């Protein structure tokens, strides 16, 4: 199905693409990272839940399969366009007004560090309607409140259709509180992001 | 997670910073605004305070200020956090420390002390207990009290033991504390070589000369200018060729200080002082 015209417009004009995922989101994130064009002209930020001492190969796998530049976020790094940033394990990622990242080691949110809520909320304050955010599969409610804040601040918000999500709780939580402006099937997400 | 009703403006944050500085002498103006804002919002939600209530409590209630301080300065810490850091320390820095008759270590921003005791365990397992002394400092008297007690919940200890496993150290973390019901108490032997005291990195100066300074996951709360001010303090507090350890996501960004420190371990951000 072709994406909604209004959504397409907003995707094209967005400066920041935020992607949040937990259990069951790796495969779809991997596909997204693979399909994003190197001249996307956006900053992409991925927040994915993972264990602290589990030296995951996620960054490496993503980097090897992406045509965009891929970086694990370091404190005070500047948000650049045409770059995919991945939130480091065991830190929360915040965004400063000046367009830099600020890390935080405070308590987990929804048992998660990085927390999707934290990054989404801080992006909402700084980038408002200039963001587009997608919340994917996950087994807890992290991200729902953050997505709502984004929506309330004018950002474009999308939840993965629970039918397609391996773990439905995360997108469902967002949908239930009215945080998702669009509910898209996985193939619709792919089509949108490759347009 | 958050009550979306609490919305703080940048002007209100500045107002609070000024108020705290005038009333209590703590200067938070160099702290990163995004995290400061998150912490202040959090305390307002926890205590169900409006912005006005918060200001009122800060002006009129000294006890509240201690709580406020504890809440806005992040005190989440672990023993052997980032195990690969301890691995690096063990192979790259311990051999250097062992050449000293006596070495002094400073853990700046030590919070409840877990990192100080991790360091003490590392030294003990390297056979350097009697040749080393570890200072833990923080701006917060309350967390230092906990640090001195050295008693941690068993639940936390389990996660610390997991960290320890990844450090590559040969001993066992349980050799260093006594289990009492649901808590673990750090052995006195480890406490003997430690001293906890109040030190404010923003406003206080040099108090000793060190072979090693560890300040991990503290710089993330400071803006670049304040980081530079503190780097100056660390530089002056280190002996020639002394080591500085920052967190794994924190690097020296200032060109001035890039020249004054040599990178020893780029992944763990372990630096060595060069020049004098």
């Amino acid at each position: 199905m072709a994406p909604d015209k209004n959504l397409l417009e907003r995707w094209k004009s967005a400066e920041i693409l935020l992607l949040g995922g937990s259990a069951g989101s790796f495969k779809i994130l991997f596909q997204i990272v693979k399909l994003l064009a190197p001249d996307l002209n956006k900053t992409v930020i991925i927040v994915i839940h993972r264990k602290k001492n589990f030296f995951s190969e996620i960054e490496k796998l993503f980097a090897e399969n992406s045509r965009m530049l891929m970086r694990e976020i370091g404190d005070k790094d500047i948000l650049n366009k045409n770059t995919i940033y991945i939130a480091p394990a065991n830190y929360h990622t915040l965004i400063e007004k000046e367009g830099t990242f600020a890390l935080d080691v405070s308590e987990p949110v929804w048992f998660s560090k990085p927390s999707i809520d934290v990054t989404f909320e801080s992006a909402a304050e700084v980038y408002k309607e200039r963001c587009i955010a997608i919340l994917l599969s996950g087994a807890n409610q992290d991200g729902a409140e953050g997505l709502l804040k984004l929506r309330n601040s004018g950002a474009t918000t999308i939840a993965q259709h629970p039918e397609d999500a391996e773990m439905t709780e995360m997108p469902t939580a967002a949908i239930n509180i009215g945080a998702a402006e669009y509910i898209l099937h996985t193939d619709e997400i792919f089509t949108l992001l490759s347009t | 997670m958050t009550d979306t009703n609490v919305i703080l403006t940048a002007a209100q944050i500045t107002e609070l910073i000024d108020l705290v500085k005038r009333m209590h002498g703590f200067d938070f103006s160099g702290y990163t605004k995004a995290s400061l804002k998150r912490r202040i919002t959090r305390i307002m939600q926890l205590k169900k305070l409006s912005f006005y209530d918060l200001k009122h409590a800060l002006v009129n209630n000294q006890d509240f200020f201690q709580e406020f301080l504890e809440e806005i300065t992040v005190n989440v810490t672990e023993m052997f956090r980032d195990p690969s850091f301890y691995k690096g320390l063990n192979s790259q820095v311990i051999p250097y420390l062992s050449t000293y008759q006596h070495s002094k270590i400073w853990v700046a921003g030590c919070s409840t002390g877990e990192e100080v005791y991790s360091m003490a365990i590392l030294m003990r397992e390297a056979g350097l207990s009697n040749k080393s002394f570890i200072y833990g400092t923080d701006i917060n008297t309350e967390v230092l009290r906990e640090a001195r007690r050295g008693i941690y919940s068993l639940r936390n200890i389990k996660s610390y033991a997991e960290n320890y496993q990844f450090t590559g150290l040969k001993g066992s973390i349980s050799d260093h504390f006594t289990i009492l019901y649901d808590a673990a108490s750090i052995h006195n032997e480890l406490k003997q070589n430690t001293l906890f005291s109040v030190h404010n990195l923003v406003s206080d100066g040099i108090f000793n000369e060190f072979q090693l300074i560890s300040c991990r996951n503290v710089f993330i709360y400071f803006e670049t200018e304040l980081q530079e001010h503190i780097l100056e303090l660390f530089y002056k507090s280190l002996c020639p060729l002394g080591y500085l350890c920052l967190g794994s996501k924190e690097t020296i960004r200032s060109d001035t200080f890039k020249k004054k420190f040599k990178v020893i371990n780029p992944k763990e951000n372990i630096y060595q002082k060069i020049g004098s």
Side-chain angles (χ1 to χ4, degrees):
Chain A
M1 202 170 73
D4 176 290
K5 221 176 125 197
N6 180 38
L7 175 59
L8 204 58
E9 263 329 274
R10 285 164 71 185
W11 154 245
K12 284 192 172 156
S13 65
E15 286 174 30
I16 303 228
L17 168 64
L18 298 163
L19 298 162
S22 185
S25 71
F26 177 77
K27 235 189 280 168
I28 175 167
L29 278 169
F30 185 75
Q31 289 303 320
I32 291 173
V33 160
K34 231 168 138 172
L35 65 79
L36 290 172
D39 55 352
L40 191 65
N41 203 29
K42 297 183 205 309
T43 305
V44 182
I45 303 168
I46 298 176
V47 185
I48 180 170
H49 293 161
R50 56 230 154 100
K51 281 207 158 156
K52 60 172 184 180
N53 286 331
F54 177 69
F55 299 108
S56 72
E57 298 281 290
I58 291 181
E59 287 87 352
K60 221 177 122 208
L61 265 173
F62 279 179
E64 281 168 4
N65 287 281
S66 170
R67 290 171 292 155
M68 284 175 88
L69 210 59
M70 183 98 205
R71 291 262 180 275
E72 188 186 50
I73 297 166
D75 186 53
K76 307 289 182 291
D77 282 351
I78 297 164
L79 281 78
N80 286 320
K81 293 222 160 143
N82 296 321
T83 307
I84 301 175
Y85 293 94
I86 179 152
N90 215 13
Y91 288 86
H92 293 308
T93 296
L94 297 158
I95 299 166
E96 285 281 329
K97 235 182 16 234
E98 304 77 28
T100 55
F101 289 107
L103 299 179
D104 177 311
V105 290
S106 62
E107 46 289 290
V109 175
W110 293 109
F111 311 102
S112 310
K113 194 157 67 174
S115 146
I116 302 166
D117 270 342
V118 170
T119 304
F120 279 14
E121 282 175 12
S122 110
E125 291 198 14
V126 179
Y127 290 97
K128 300 184 170 74
E129 71 290 339
R130 290 177 289 155
C131 312
I132 182 162
I134 309 178
L135 191 62
L136 303 162
S137 165
N140 70 22
Q141 296 178 40
D142 187 29
E145 279 288 342
L147 201 70
L148 182 62
K149 257 224 170 119
L150 279 162
R151 186 173 185 187
N152 290 340
S153 67
T156 309
T157 60
I158 301 168
Q160 183 181 18
H161 201 301
E163 267 175 21
D164 291 6
E166 226 172 279
M167 299 287 171
T168 57
E169 196 171 343
M170 214 156 84
T172 306
I175 294 162
N176 286 346
I177 59 167
E181 194 178 352
Y182 294 90
I183 301 161
L184 299 187
H185 285 285
T186 313
D187 56 343
E188 292 174 309
I189 295 173
F190 291 154
T191 310
L192 177 71
L193 300 189
S194 49
T195 309
Chain B
M1 166 205 105
T2 39
D3 174 1
T4 31
N5 296 324
V6 178
I7 295 164
L8 278 170
T9 64
Q12 284 174 320
I13 302 280
T14 310
E15 196 184 331
L16 276 183
I17 291 170
D18 287 345
L19 179 81
V20 167
K21 195 174 169 184
R22 268 185 292 116
M23 294 293 303
H24 303 279
F26 284 85
D27 183 4
F28 286 101
S29 60
Y31 278 57
T32 52
K33 298 298 170 291
S35 45
L36 201 55
K37 187 170 178 174
R38 184 164 171 258
R39 303 309 295 175
I40 296 170
T41 306
R42 189 183 140 89
I43 195 163
M44 287 167 74
Q45 286 161 350
L46 284 174
K47 304 262 162 198
K48 300 195 172 24
L49 298 173
S50 69
F51 183 66
Y52 178 82
D53 294 336
L54 177 64
K55 282 196 295 179
H56 186 271
L58 281 172
V59 171
N60 297 302
N61 184 343
Q62 185 63 36
D63 290 343
F64 176 78
F65 177 69
Q66 282 306 320
E67 257 182 273
F68 176 82
L69 192 62
E70 204 170 331
E71 201 52 59
I72 63 166
T73 54
V74 171
N75 290 300
V76 175
T77 175
E78 296 168 32
M79 280 178 86
F80 296 102
R81 191 197 151 105
D82 300 323
S84 49
F85 162 71
Y86 288 92
K87 202 177 248 176
L89 214 52
N90 208 18
S91 63
Q92 293 173 290
V93 182
I94 295 285
Y96 162 88
L97 292 181
S98 66
T99 64
Y100 280 82
Q101 196 66 266
H102 197 85
S103 54
K104 280 171 285 186
I105 298 169
W106 177 17
V107 179
C110 71
S111 187
T112 42
E114 282 87 334
E115 199 161 335
V116 169
Y117 293 124
S118 306
M119 208 64 99
I121 290 173
L122 188 74
M123 299 306 280
R124 188 186 191 186
E125 294 197 358
L128 298 175
S129 269
N130 298 325
K131 293 174 63 182
S132 59
F133 200 88
I134 307 164
Y135 294 80
T137 64
D138 203 277
I139 60 168
N140 195 325
T141 48
E142 210 46 56
V143 293
L144 290 172
R145 198 169 312 183
E146 272 185 65
R148 281 184 206 106
R149 283 176 69 218
I151 297 173
Y152 303 108
S153 91
L154 215 51
R155 213 185 59 196
N156 289 346
I157 293 282
K158 274 181 192 151
S159 120
Y160 302 164
E162 189 201 301
N163 286 350
Y164 182 92
Q165 279 189 336
F166 288 100
T167 60
L169 288 170
K170 297 282 182 283
S172 160
I173 193 171
S174 59
D175 294 342
H176 305 284
F177 48 72
T178 310
I179 311 280
L180 317 145
Y181 303 103
D182 56 350
S185 172
I186 297 287
H187 279 171
N188 269 333
E189 193 190 325
L190 287 175
K191 289 191 191 168
Q192 273 162 15
N193 304 331
T194 62
L195 183 77
F196 291 97
S197 67
V198 174
H199 183 276
N200 187 338
L201 289 169
V202 178
S203 53
D204 296 343
I206 300 166
F207 63 94
N208 214 323
E209 190 186 64
F210 300 95
Q211 277 68 45
L212 169 66
I213 297 175
S214 175
C215 182
R216 298 165 67 225
N217 298 312
V218 177
F219 268 27
I220 50 179
Y221 298 106
F222 302 148
E223 285 173 347
T224 328
E225 217 171 287
L226 180 55
Q227 289 184 355
E228 215 166 307
H229 166 80
I230 297 167
L231 279 172
E232 177 75 32
L233 171 71
F234 288 161
Y235 188 79
K236 287 181 178 160
S237 302
L238 281 170
C239 71
L241 304 177
Y243 289 86
L244 172 67
C245 307
L246 299 179
S248 66
K249 303 291 176 278
E250 300 164 310
T251 48
I252 294 180
R253 292 186 178 265
S254 139
D255 289 330
T256 321
F257 287 98
K258 272 184 190 158
K259 288 184 211 134
K260 293 182 169 189
F261 286 100
K262 186 171 127 191
V263 185
I264 296 297
N265 185 327
K267 213 176 146 274
E268 305 302 333
N269 295 316
I270 301 175
Y271 299 88
Q272 186 170 30
K273 173 176 173 171
I274 48 175
S276 57

